[in-house]
């Protein structure tokens, strides 16, 4: 009789997968934006649309959490994971909006490097999330989260180098301010991916 009150557990993992797909799509669109500034507005609209789709998935996940009697993972872990994943999309939308609002007409190789690392981080988040439904994948999941940690460290290195170069060589104060903001936002995306990796590690260590 309890079956009526318990939606299928696997739906949570489906939502995680769908959300991770959104992150990958938005990250690739953001990189395309950075490489195609004359069409920045069109790319930004696509990033925004993907962020809205991710918001709906987050809402549906939280709604399902309230309706599910028995969950496959700890309730707090499910909530923390989906909302932290959603933060990644919010940050990518912020970058796209910043580039548009600041009327940025050219970017640097360092910005492209950071955006490329963001794509790689989101790819790894998608892999880790896709394996989460089966704890027999624990070893592979942990290797994937370690790769996210490595990528975040690489983003830190690129960020430090970019900032050093920016303050040594850029003489246009307005451009300096714009680039500094974009560098920081891009690096924060990788930080948030690392936060997701840490949550996933905690889930694996508790449930494997």
């Amino acid at each position: 009789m309890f079956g009526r009150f318990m939606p299928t557990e696997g739906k949570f993992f489906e939502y995680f997968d769908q959300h991770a797909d959104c992150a990958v799509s938005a990250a690739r669109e953001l990189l395309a934006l950075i490489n195609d500034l004359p069409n920045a507005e069109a790319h930004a609209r696509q990033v925004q649309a993907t962020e809205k789709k991710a918001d709906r998935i987050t809402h549906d996940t939280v709604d399902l959490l309230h309706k599910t009697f028995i969950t496959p993972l700890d309730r707090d872990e499910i909530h923390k994971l989906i909302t932290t994943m959603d933060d990644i999309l919010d940050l990518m939308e912020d970058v796209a909006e910043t580039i548009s609002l600041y009327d940025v007409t050219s970017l640097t190789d360092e910005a492209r490097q950071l955006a490329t690392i963001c794509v790689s981080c989101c790819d790894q988040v998608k892999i880790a999330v896709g394996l989460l439904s089966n704890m027999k994948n624990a070893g592979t999941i942990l290797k994937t989260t370690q790769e996210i940690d490595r990528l975040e460290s690489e983003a830190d290195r690129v960020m430090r180098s970019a900032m050093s170069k920016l303050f040594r060589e850029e003489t246009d104060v307005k451009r300096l301010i714009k680039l500094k903001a974009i560098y920081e936002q891009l690096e924060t995306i990788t930080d948030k991916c690392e936060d997701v990796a840490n949550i996933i590690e905690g889930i694996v260590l508790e449930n494997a």
Side-chain angles (χ1 to χ4, degrees):
M1 68 176 284
F2 287 111
R4 293 182 298 129
F5 303 105
M6 293 189 290
T8 305
E9 290 183 350
K11 192 68 176 175
F12 287 107
F13 298 110
E14 290 177 24
Y15 284 150
F16 294 154
D17 287 341
Q18 291 170 18
H19 204 295
D21 284 339
C22 288
V24 170
S25 295
R28 289 177 179 167
E29 195 66 38
L30 184 60
L31 179 59
L33 185 160
I34 287 171
N35 285 322
D36 183 28
L37 288 175
N39 296 302
E41 290 293 337
H43 294 297
R45 285 194 296 271
Q46 190 59 48
V47 172
Q48 185 178 44
T50 305
E51 189 275 335
K52 297 304 180 193
K53 180 179 178 182
D55 273 349
R56 290 193 293 273
I57 295 168
T58 301
H59 176 272
D60 290 345
T61 306
V62 174
D63 187 55
L64 180 61
L65 194 57
H66 291 315
K67 295 176 179 176
T68 304
F69 184 65
I70 297 176
T71 56
L73 303 171
D74 180 85
R75 289 175 181 277
D76 288 342
E77 290 173 335
I78 292 172
H79 188 271
K80 190 188 301 181
L81 178 56
I82 197 67
T83 55
T84 307
M85 289 173 67
D86 204 51
D87 290 340
I88 297 171
L89 274 294
D90 292 340
L91 289 165
M92 286 191 276
E93 184 182 30
D94 288 345
V95 176
E97 287 182 351
T98 296
I99 291 172
S100 177
L101 289 172
Y102 286 7
D103 192 26
V104 175
T105 56
S106 66
L107 280 168
T108 61
D109 287 340
E110 289 81 5
R112 283 183 279 276
Q113 288 176 46
L114 286 168
T116 300
I117 294 171
C118 288
V119 172
S120 297
C121 279
C122 290
D123 284 340
Q124 294 301 312
V125 166
K126 177 176 167 54
I127 291 169
V129 164
L131 296 170
L132 201 54
S133 61
N134 188 344
M135 284 301 147
K136 291 180 180 178
N137 298 320
T140 306
I141 294 171
L142 292 176
K143 286 180 182 177
T144 306
T145 58
Q146 288 166 9
E147 176 61 9
I148 296 170
D149 291 342
R150 187 196 69 77
L151 288 165
E152 191 278 332
S153 296
E154 176 67 8
D156 282 346
R157 186 194 64 76
V158 173
M159 169 80 158
R160 287 193 297 270
S161 175
M163 287 296 197
S164 176
K165 181 179 178 182
L166 184 63
F167 281 92
R168 284 197 323 268
E169 300 180 6
E170 184 56 63
T171 56
D172 184 331
V173 175
K174 286 169 65 175
R175 178 167 165 78
L176 185 150
I177 292 170
K178 293 176 183 181
L179 287 174
K180 179 176 181 291
I182 292 165
Y183 290 162
E184 288 173 343
Q185 288 177 324
L186 287 168
E187 197 276 332
T188 303
I189 292 170
T190 68
D191 288 342
K192 194 57 65 172
C193 288
E194 185 180 40
D195 289 344
V196 169
N198 291 337
I199 293 167
I200 292 173
E201 284 180 1
I203 291 171
V204 170
L205 294 174
E206 184 172 326
N207 293 280

